[in-house]
């Protein structure tokens, strides 16, 4: 371990940590803050978590987190209320940021250059004003409800924003471009709002589709697509086996196919 904070309150740590399997570990602590650099450049230290926060109210402010090759996690958060702000993650990780079973987290003004921001079973959290340029998916929500992704700039070689089995999320005012697959993909997800996004040069601009589970296919239901601009994609907006999708005031231009709907029911979408 580089820095270990356990059962502590009102702790501020500032400094640089180099070549530790776990750089900063915070557990059962309140109002703990780290600021500085965590860096790994030796194969003996690859993997682990550069910063790992468990059961704590903590912050990562004005930090740089990097390593030379992709394994482990940049910032891992479990069962916590955490703020990550003004931070750069240029390192090649399995996941740049991973929030799991967490709540009331804020990721703001963060720059990610390699790998995904991943939320699993996380609620009431916000990703705001982030710049994400990745070789894979940019933002992935899995079984995560009542979250917001706003004012982010995304350039991804995978999916831009991928939402699976997640409900009541808001995706608003993001700029998404150059995704090989979907700019925004709702899969088996209900009651989400996709609003005022600009999506360009992607495989699909926006897809709303069913999800294959071990009990069968689960459709997406009651989602809203409003005020989005989708241009220069192979396919603008696609509704696939999904009920009650509401579309209002979307602009689709210069796509090979602007719009398509597929399924067996008549109540797929309202416009």
């Amino acid at each position: 371990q580089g820095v270990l904070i356990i059962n502590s309150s009102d702790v501020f740590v500032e400094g640089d940590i180099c070549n530790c399997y776990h750089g900063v570990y915070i557990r059962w602590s309140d109002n703990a803050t780290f600021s500085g650099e965590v860096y790994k450049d030796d194969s003996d230290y690859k993997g682990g978590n550069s910063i790992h926060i468990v059961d704590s109210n903590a912050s990562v402010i004005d930090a740089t987190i990097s390593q030379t090759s992709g394994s482990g996690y940049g910032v891992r958060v479990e069962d916590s209320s955490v703020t990550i702000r003004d931070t750069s993650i240029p390192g090649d990780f399995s996941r740049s940021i991973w929030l799991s079973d967490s709540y009331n987290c804020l990721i703001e003004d963060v720059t990610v250059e390699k790998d995904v921001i991943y939320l699993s079973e996380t609620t009431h959290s916000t990703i705001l004003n982030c710049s994400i340029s990745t070789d894979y998916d940019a933002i992935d929500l899995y079984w995560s409800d009542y979250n917001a992704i706003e004012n982010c700039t995304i350039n991804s070689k995978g999916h831009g924003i991928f939402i699976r089995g997640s409900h009541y999320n808001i995706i608003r005012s993001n700029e998404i471009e150059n995704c090989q697959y979907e700019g925004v993909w709702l899969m088996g997800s209900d009651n989400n709002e996709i609003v005022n996004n600009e999506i360009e040069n992607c495989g699909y601009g926006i897809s709303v589709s069913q999800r294959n589970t071990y009990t069968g296919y689960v459709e997406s239901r009651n989602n809203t697509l409003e005020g989005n601009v989708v241009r220069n994609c192979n396919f603008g907006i696609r509704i696939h086996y999904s009920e009650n999708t509401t579309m209002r005031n979307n602009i689709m231009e210069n796509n090979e196919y602007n719009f398509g709907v597929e399924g067996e029911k008549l109540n797929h979408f309202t416009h």
Side-chain angles (χ1 to χ4, degrees):
Q1 306 280 359
V3 174
L4 183 65
I5 302 171
I6 296 180
N7 282 326
S8 301
S9 297
D10 301 317
V11 177
F12 181 82
V13 176
E14 183 175 11
D16 298 338
I17 300 167
C18 184
N19 287 339
C20 296
Y21 188 75
H22 297 299
V24 179
Y25 184 75
I26 302 171
R27 186 162 195 158
W28 302 320
S29 296
D30 185 57
N31 196 27
T33 300
F34 173 79
S35 178
E37 182 176 3
V38 181
Y39 176 63
K40 302 178 187 180
D41 65 357
D42 190 300
S43 60
D44 291 339
Y45 300 101
K46 292 173 184 173
N49 306 294
S50 292
I51 299 176
H52 192 183
I53 302 170
V54 185
D55 294 323
S56 298
N57 177 357
S59 299
V60 178
I61 307 293
D62 194 20
T64 301
I65 303 162
S66 61
Q67 67 178 20
T68 53
S69 66
S71 60
Y73 308 107
V75 181
R76 185 175 181 186
V77 177
E78 297 180 81
D79 195 22
S80 296
S81 177
V82 167
T83 295
I84 305 168
R85 180 184 288 127
D86 297 325
T87 290
S88 176
I89 308 179
D92 190 3
F93 297 95
S94 298
R95 291 168 181 160
S96 292
I97 298 174
W98 180 12
L99 310 183
S100 63
D101 195 25
S102 294
Y103 50 89
N104 194 33
C105 293
L106 173 63
I107 302 171
E108 182 178 14
D109 292 318
V110 170
T111 299
V112 171
E113 297 181 11
K114 292 286 186 180
D115 296 293
V116 67
I117 297 176
Y118 182 69
L119 276 60
S120 61
E121 298 182 272
T122 290
T123 64
H124 298 94
S125 296
T126 300
I127 302 172
L128 179 65
N129 297 333
C130 293
S131 176
I132 306 164
S133 180
T134 73
D135 294 334
Y136 309 101
D137 297 344
I139 299 175
D140 190 348
L141 271 60
Y142 182 65
W143 287 4
S144 293
D145 305 334
Y146 297 100
N147 302 291
I149 303 169
E150 299 188 70
N151 297 320
C152 293
T153 301
I154 294 171
N155 191 317
S156 168
K157 293 181 181 178
H159 301 97
I161 299 174
F162 190 13
I163 300 176
R164 298 175 290 161
S166 299
H167 316 300
Y168 297 99
N169 299 288
I170 297 175
I171 315 302
R172 180 165 49 211
S173 300
N174 302 284
E175 296 182 3
I176 304 168
E177 62 181 4
N178 300 327
C179 302
Q180 182 176 353
Y181 306 110
E182 281 82 359
V184 178
W185 188 4
L186 302 180
M187 179 191 285
S189 298
D190 304 338
N191 297 292
N192 298 284
E193 297 181 26
I194 314 300
V195 181
N196 295 338
N197 301 281
E198 294 188 12
I199 302 170
E200 189 166 0
N201 296 322
C202 296
Y204 291 83
I206 301 173
S207 286
V208 182
S209 73
Q210 61 188 0
R211 182 168 63 98
N212 190 5
T213 71
Y214 65 92
T215 58
Y217 286 99
V218 176
E219 294 185 353
S220 294
R221 298 181 175 89
N222 305 318
N223 296 290
T224 298
L225 282 55
E226 182 171 2
N228 302 286
V229 178
V230 183
R231 59 169 65 96
N232 300 325
C233 298
N234 293 334
F235 211 118
I237 295 177
R238 180 186 70 153
I239 311 298
H240 181 264
Y241 285 87
S242 297
E243 293 187 49
N244 298 324
T245 301
T246 298
M247 296 175 55
R248 299 190 192 97
N249 302 321
N250 299 286
I251 297 173
M252 294 165 275
E253 59 184 13
N254 297 326
N255 303 292
E256 185 172 353
Y257 301 98
N258 279 323
F259 176 72
V261 59
E262 181 181 355
E264 298 174 350
K265 300 178 182 179
L266 296 177
N267 59 340
H268 283 294
F269 69 96
T270 58
H271 182 63

